[in-house]
Amino acid sequence: MSAVAILIGLFAAIFFHEAAHFATAKAFGMKVTEFFAGFGPRLWSFRRGETEYGIKLFLPLGGYVKITGMSPMEEVDPSEEHRTYRGSPFWQKSIVVLAGVAANFAFAFLIFYLVFAGLGVPQTESRVGDVITALDDGTPTPASRTDLTAGDLIVAVDGVPTEFWGDLLGELRDKAGVQLEQDVVRDGTSFVTTLTPMERDGRGFVGIAVPDPVTRRFGPVDALSETISIYRDAIEASVNAVGTLLWPPNLLDLFGDAVEGNDPGNTRPVTIVGIVGESSNIFEASGWAGIMSLIAGLNIIVALFNVLPLFPLDGGHFAVAVYEKLRGKPVDVEKLIPLAVGVIMFFISIFLLGLWFDLFGPGLDFG
């Protein structure tokens, strides 16, 4: 089910992207002749007014909208020239070509909000799952020498708040041999216990087992605050990932890794094949919250790639519109055709590179 959900989520990301182009073009009176889900051979369609709606064979690839006059070379009846994309004001063209990007960003924000307010997010509290009494060699653990017991909530270490398990580990990791005071809550009663982490594998170890995660849901206001935070972090991380991927020296290294069979780490491109292949692990680790958050991230990635100022991407169409506005004359699209072919081949090569790693390379790490 998780794999199916990811496929549906990817389709929705691309489909809503195109639907935004369609809706804004219609709103401005532009002539839209086709709106299809998928690509390739037509499976089913119907016509309503001047627009043909339908489904094509390769449905998971998203969809497309055909707006009259997107190309200056397209022949149009002079009586309908005012309804073409090219014949519309600059501000309308800008909104139409950037509407898909805006839709993906908005869709991602909505998904994150629904996760926090509806599904809830699995969180591991700084709670004692169990006390490990001794190591394999019989050495007692620091926790076994305290009053700690399963279920105790460690709220602070030496006065530093530890709301989640990661916070607790962070305070203990580099404190081997250091005596620490832990503020603990048990059944509503607070007390303080003291222990000194021992060194194990180069880190501070106390002998506390990780507890089972709990699902935390947020109220409407708190969910909004959490959504803004994770949304900002997701966009920042996605921008960095896309920038790293597209940086020419990094791309050359990736192709070299593919040829030599090296592990490129998490800098490599990932296709839907790899993501679907990891869907069960994502679901096991984070449940539906993890799957939905991944779908939100896919929307952000789709938006970021489309906003690149490369023709024929949306950002490229916007760049052309800006150029025409500044120069006061249309661009010779014939000169852009080689660029468009080059951009398409470039992204196909990145896709094939990611597919190779997905099929033959090392596993993914979404942690």
Side-chain angles (χ1 to χ4, degrees):
M1 282 299 294
S2 57
V4 174
I6 290 176
L7 288 174
I8 293 174
L10 179 62
F11 167 74
I14 303 175
F15 183 78
F16 287 144
H17 178 101
E18 298 300 333
H21 291 313
F22 171 82
T24 51
K26 281 284 193 179
F28 293 138
M30 298 181 192
K31 186 175 182 178
V32 182
T33 57
E34 294 183 13
F35 183 15
F36 274 83
F39 293 93
R42 180 185 286 101
L43 297 179
W44 171 82
S45 69
F46 69 94
R47 179 172 295 277
R48 178 168 296 174
E50 62 190 10
T51 306
E52 182 182 10
Y53 304 83
I55 299 174
K56 294 195 173 184
L57 180 60
F58 301 111
L59 188 63
L61 296 181
Y64 75 94
V65 175
K66 186 175 181 180
I67 304 173
T68 300
M70 285 292 290
S71 169
M73 296 185 297
E74 182 180 354
E75 295 185 3
V76 179
D77 188 322
S79 64
E80 293 190 332
E81 185 66 34
H82 67 287
R83 298 192 60 213
T84 64
Y85 169 84
R86 68 190 180 208
S88 300
F90 166 75
W91 68 273
Q92 292 184 358
K93 289 192 289 187
S94 300
I95 291 176
V96 169
V97 295
L98 296 180
V101 171
N104 286 131
F105 278 126
F107 193 33
F109 188 91
L110 177 62
I111 292 174
F112 279 133
Y113 183 79
L114 292 177
V115 167
F116 282 107
L119 288 175
V121 292
Q123 294 182 336
T124 305
E125 299 175 310
S126 57
R127 191 178 295 277
V128 179
D130 199 2
V131 174
I132 302 172
T133 57
L135 303 181
D136 293 339
D137 62 1
T139 302
T141 67
S144 67
R145 299 189 179 100
T146 69
D147 295 332
L148 291 174
T149 187
D152 287 349
L153 182 65
I154 302 174
V155 296
V157 174
D158 271 1
V160 179
T162 53
E163 184 178 1
F164 303 113
W165 182 257
D167 302 329
L168 178 61
L169 292 184
E171 291 303 313
L172 301 176
R173 184 176 290 116
D174 301 322
K175 302 294 177 60
V178 179
Q179 182 173 292
L180 303 173
E181 285 190 350
Q182 295 183 320
D183 297 320
V184 185
V185 176
R186 177 188 299 166
D187 297 328
T189 302
S190 300
F191 65 94
V192 176
T193 186
T194 302
L195 57 70
T196 302
M198 62 188 298
E199 184 174 346
R200 188 183 186 197
D201 298 328
R203 297 181 178 181
F205 176 79
V206 297
I208 299 174
V210 60
D212 293 330
V214 295
T215 299
R216 182 182 178 187
R217 293 179 178 83
F218 296 80
V221 176
D222 289 338
L224 182 60
S225 175
E226 294 291 332
T227 298
I228 292 173
S229 177
I230 195 172
Y231 184 68
R232 181 179 58 248
D233 292 344
I235 290 178
E236 181 180 351
S238 298
V239 169
N240 291 335
V242 171
T244 300
L245 173 63
L246 298 183
W247 184 244
N250 293 338
L251 273 178
L252 291 176
D253 289 341
L254 286 173
F255 278 103
D257 289 334
V259 172
E260 298 173 7
N262 298 329
D263 180 3
N266 290 338
T267 61
R268 72 175 181 86
V270 181
T271 70
I272 191 62
V273 174
I275 295 174
V276 168
E278 288 293 311
S279 61
S280 60
N281 293 333
I282 297 171
F283 184 79
E284 182 178 351
S286 305
W288 285 112
I291 297 296
M292 295 300 291
S293 296
L294 177 60
I295 293 173
L298 288 175
N299 273 271
I300 293 175
I301 292 295
V302 169
L304 290 177
F305 273 109
N306 272 280
V307 82
L308 294 173
L310 301 173
F311 193 81
L313 300 177
D314 294 344
H317 280 288
F318 177 67
V320 169
V322 171
Y323 179 85
E324 292 177 338
K325 178 66 174 178
L326 296 176
R327 292 293 301 271
K329 61 180 181 180
V331 170
D332 185 354
V333 177
E334 289 188 2
K335 295 182 179 179
L336 294 179
I337 291 177
L339 172 62
V341 173
V343 169
I344 293 172
M345 295 304 297
F346 173 71
F347 282 108
I348 288 177
S349 67
I350 291 180
F351 172 81
L352 293 177
L353 178 64
L355 185 62
W356 190 94
F357 281 120
D358 288 340
L359 296 177
F360 307 109
L364 301 174
D365 180 8
F366 287 96

